[in-house]
Amino acid sequence: MKKKSILRAVLTAVLSLVATIATAHDFEVDGIYYNDNCDGTVSVTYKGSSYNEYTNEYTGDVTIPSSVTYSGTTYSVTSIGDKAFGECSGLTSVSIPNSVTSIGNYAFAFCSGLTSVTIPNSVTSIGKGDFKGCSGLTSVTIPNSVTSIGDKAFEDCSGLISVTIPNSVTSILGNAFAGCSGLESIVVESGNSKYDSRDNCNAIIETATNTLLAGCKNTTIPNSVTSIGYRAFRGCSGLTSVTIPNSVSSIGDSAFSGCSGLTSVTIPNSVSSIGDFAFSGCSGLTSVTIPNSVTSIGNDAFYSCSGLTSITIGNSVSSIGNFVFEDCSGLKSIVVESGNSKYDSRDNCNAIIETATNTLLAGCKNTTIPNSVTSIGYGAFNGCSGLTSASIPNSVTYIGEYAFWDCSSLKKAIVKAITPPYIASKSFNNYDLKLIVPAISKEEYKSANIWSSFTNYADAEIMITALGLEKNNASIKSGETIQLTATATPADATFADVFLWTSGNEDVATVDGNGVVTAIADGTATITASTVDGSNITAACVVSVGAGAVEGVDTAAARIYTADGNIIIAAAEDGEAAVYDFTGHLIKSVPVASGNSTAVPVTPGYYIVKTGTKTQSVVVK
């Protein structure tokens, strides 16, 4: 019997606990829900165990009483709890009694139908996000009792037209009025020791720091302001133009973010820094000139400025963040002014390149990546929806994360490197685009990390039909270098600027991937440029190394040609002719006489002939 009593008591306690968890409010009177503060006072709260468990538990006009009686006990209503009326879109007005001294965070957030609220003189603080998203509010009077306005307190109140800050307020946190797109008038009452609206500027300025904290579409920035604060004009879509005075030295993070109506902004020479997301979402901006005073531009500073067509970076900029021009789909021109010691736009490339590292940091739909660039940086073309094709030169060895991410119109990429560059796992998110790589390396690409994910490998669109070198023989001394240049026909062939360079005798001379020949020791080496597009065309130059090397070619010295499997040498003077194979090794020497033609029988192949001061390559078929 005793065990049954204990079990019954435990079961009753568990059921009581479950009921408490399921119903967070303590009681309800006349359609208003309360929590007992256990001190003779109650807080207004939401119905149920969470603020969004029920929909629109508060609708229409709500008058909160100063006291409430429940089960024979009378309580004083002293506070409104966190999210008490949150997301009650059917709520139209609220009357708050003088007994209430505090309003919790997000108390009326997203009450989109709320058009009127009376805040009594007893309230000392407006909490974080209290009226966020109350798009129906047109005006609000903040009483002289209020000393602090929390972060996001009136954020995104798009219908709010005017606001007056009393002289009692000593703390306004960031975002308090961000996104109030309809706001026309902001006034700080005279006598406020912390904030002001000097010169009828229609803004809130922190007096001691001269920082503009909140503005609206009618704001005129006074010449005494030194900085534009965090999200000061964020979401002010009615702002069409702004003149920033010469007193301003910094533009804060997200200062003009989402000002979609902004078509013109003048950044003065006094500004030294532009913060993260400073002008993000300013879709109406068409051009921006960054003055020479600016030294740093933050991450995503012009993110999603879809109307932006041109930007000029001053020569003092020494720090540029990531994703600066992400989603700037209309951007056509990017210019770094000459004289910048950190960045450049070499070869009119329409991009920002970090000079010391040859890293392309930011590009646009008209960017031509120069052959000197070795890396494509983090997010360089991220969100560049206007980019339809990309040609990545042979010099590039590294492609960073998000380099071509979300380039929705990118249908073709030509990667010219013979050795597959390193590519980060999130460089592209379109693996079915047409990918054109050197034919001689295609299989290597297909098996390389990340490159193997691409599914649409294609051949060169325009093949090389002929290839020549500017010289077919050269003489240098050991330790010296020469530059060989190959020219492909047609000039617009897909791989007209990429060749495989090889030396037939690396003990004599070596050649790098750009055709630079370095002499190693005395002798002869044949340097060959080969096409990489699958056309299998070559051109060669015989390089003689040593003190006795031939200095130039005398075309009048002899005539050399082929016929019937022979090399024919028509000498202009008596002497000796030397025939070398493709690798530069001597095959045979034959005497030649002035006025006579000498036939040298050879097997089909590629040969180099030297006679007197003449060196010539021939092909015997």
Side-chain angles (χ1 to χ4, degrees):
M1 191 69 178
K2 186 176 181 181
K3 287 183 178 179
K4 287 184 178 180
S5 298
I6 294 172
L7 182 60
R8 188 179 296 111
V10 170
L11 182 59
T12 300
V14 169
L15 290 173
S16 176
L17 178 61
V18 169
T20 300
I21 292 172
T23 308
H25 67 272
D26 291 325
F27 60 85
E28 175 262 327
V29 175
D30 296 332
I32 298 177
Y33 302 88
Y34 299 95
N35 277 333
D36 188 347
N37 296 327
C38 300
D39 61 357
T41 67
V42 291
S43 297
V44 177
T45 187
Y46 43 76
K47 180 182 179 181
S49 59
S50 65
Y51 81 97
N52 56 0
E53 182 178 350
Y54 294 89
T55 302
N56 276 330
E57 62 264 45
Y58 296 109
T59 59
D61 302 330
V62 172
T63 299
I64 300 172
S66 58
S67 63
V68 63
T69 300
Y70 179 75
S71 295
T73 302
T74 299
Y75 302 89
S76 178
V77 180
T78 58
S79 60
I80 299 173
D82 291 352
K83 301 180 181 178
F85 295 87
E87 297 186 15
C88 289
S89 58
L91 184 69
T92 56
S93 71
V94 174
S95 180
I96 303 172
N98 275 318
S99 59
V100 171
T101 59
S102 68
I103 301 174
N105 295 333
Y106 297 98
F108 298 93
F110 303 107
C111 292
S112 56
L114 186 64
T115 58
S116 173
V117 62
T118 302
I119 303 173
N121 259 315
S122 54
V123 172
T124 58
S125 65
I126 298 174
K128 179 178 181 179
D130 268 350
F131 297 94
K132 176 181 171 66
C134 292
S135 55
L137 272 181
T138 57
S139 66
V140 64
T141 299
I142 301 171
N144 271 317
S145 57
V146 171
T147 59
S148 66
I149 300 173
D151 180 35
K152 304 178 182 179
F154 295 91
E155 184 178 38
D156 296 329
C157 289
S158 56
L160 193 62
I161 297 172
S162 65
V163 66
T164 300
I165 307 296
N167 55 29
S168 58
V169 173
T170 57
S171 173
I172 301 175
L173 296 184
N175 294 313
F177 298 95
C180 294
S181 56
L183 198 56
E184 298 176 359
S185 171
I186 304 177
V187 176
V188 178
E189 288 183 348
S190 60
N192 189 301
S193 62
K194 187 73 178 286
Y195 307 104
D196 66 79
S197 294
R198 66 192 70 166
D199 305 330
N200 297 315
C201 62
N202 277 311
I204 301 171
I205 298 169
E206 189 175 51
T207 306
T209 63
N210 291 308
T211 299
L212 192 150
L213 300 179
C216 67
K217 62 183 177 182
N218 290 338
T219 294
T220 300
I221 304 173
N223 202 34
S224 53
V225 167
T226 57
S227 63
I228 299 173
Y230 175 64
R231 292 192 167 189
F233 291 87
R234 206 276 294 172
C236 188
S237 57
L239 186 70
T240 57
S241 67
V242 63
T243 299
I244 301 172
N246 277 316
S247 56
V248 173
S249 60
S250 66
I251 299 173
D253 293 350
S254 302
F256 295 93
S257 176
C259 292
S260 55
L262 187 63
T263 58
S264 171
V265 61
T266 301
I267 303 174
N269 257 313
S270 56
V271 172
S272 61
S273 64
I274 298 173
D276 296 348
F277 295 94
F279 293 93
S280 65
C282 292
S283 55
L285 275 180
T286 57
S287 66
V288 173
T289 297
I290 309 295
N292 284 327
S293 57
V294 172
T295 58
S296 66
I297 302 173
N299 296 324
D300 297 274
F302 296 92
Y303 165 73
S304 198
C305 289
S306 56
L308 191 64
T309 59
S310 66
I311 187 140
T312 301
I313 307 294
N315 57 29
S316 297
V317 174
S318 57
S319 174
I320 298 176
N322 295 317
F323 302 117
V324 174
F325 303 111
E326 181 184 358
D327 286 344
C328 291
S329 55
L331 194 57
K332 299 176 182 178
S333 171
I334 304 176
V335 176
V336 178
E337 288 187 348
S338 60
N340 189 301
S341 61
K342 185 74 178 286
Y343 306 105
D344 66 79
S345 293
R346 66 192 68 167
D347 306 329
N348 297 315
C349 62
N350 279 311
I352 300 172
I353 298 169
E354 188 175 52
T355 305
T357 63
N358 291 309
T359 299
L360 192 149
L361 301 178
C364 66
K365 64 183 179 182
N366 287 346
T367 295
T368 300
I369 304 174
N371 202 35
S372 53
V373 166
T374 57
S375 300
I376 299 175
Y378 183 80
F381 292 90
N382 191 344
C384 187
S385 59
L387 186 69
T388 57
S389 66
S391 181
I392 302 172
N394 187 38
S395 56
V396 171
T397 59
Y398 177 93
I399 302 174
E401 276 196 317
Y402 300 104
F404 294 95
W405 196 261
D406 278 344
C407 293
S408 56
S409 299
L410 185 62
K411 304 301 181 186
K412 178 177 69 176
I414 302 171
V415 184
K416 295 188 176 183
I418 295 172
T419 301
Y422 170 84
I423 180 172
S425 60
K426 294 181 180 179
S427 294
F428 294 80
N429 60 341
N430 178 15
Y431 289 119
D432 61 354
L433 58 74
K434 180 189 289 188
L435 183 63
I436 300 173
V437 300
I440 64 171
S441 309
K442 187 181 291 185
E443 295 308 313
E444 186 178 356
Y445 272 87
K446 286 183 175 181
S447 61
N449 188 36
I450 306 301
W451 293 112
S452 60
S453 301
F454 288 86
T455 60
N456 188 18
Y457 279 86
D459 295 329
E461 294 174 327
I462 303 176
M463 300 289 286
I464 294 173
T465 57
L467 182 65
L469 297 177
E470 87 282 14
K471 58 182 74 175
N472 54 28
N473 68 83
S475 298
I476 54 175
K477 295 178 181 179
S478 181
E480 293 180 344
T481 63
I482 58 169
Q483 172 71 61
L484 296 182
T485 301
T487 303
T489 302
D492 61 347
T494 306
F495 291 94
D497 55 349
V498 183
F499 309 101
L500 177 64
W501 292 91
T502 56
S503 170
N505 190 348
E506 292 191 342
D507 292 334
V508 173
T510 60
V511 63
D512 69 9
N514 297 312
V516 177
V517 179
T518 302
I520 305 299
D522 289 359
T524 303
T526 299
I527 305 300
T528 303
S530 303
T531 57
V532 301
D533 61 357
S535 58
N536 300 318
I537 299 173
T538 62
C541 175
V542 177
V543 175
S544 299
V545 179
V550 176
E551 300 292 340
V553 176
D554 178 6
T555 57
R559 191 165 69 90
I560 302 169
Y561 58 97
T562 63
D564 301 325
N566 296 296
I567 298 173
I568 309 300
I569 305 167
E573 57 186 30
D574 295 341
E576 191 167 288
V579 179
Y580 298 87
D581 67 9
F582 181 78
T583 66
H585 291 99
L586 180 66
I587 300 298
K588 62 180 68 176
S589 295
V590 293
V592 293
S594 175
N596 293 325
S597 295
T598 302
V600 182
V602 290
T603 57
Y606 181 92
Y607 297 93
I608 299 98
V609 180
K610 291 182 63 178
T611 176
T613 60
K614 183 179 180 68
T615 302
Q616 183 174 321
S617 57
V618 294
V619 177
V620 177
K621 298 182 179 179

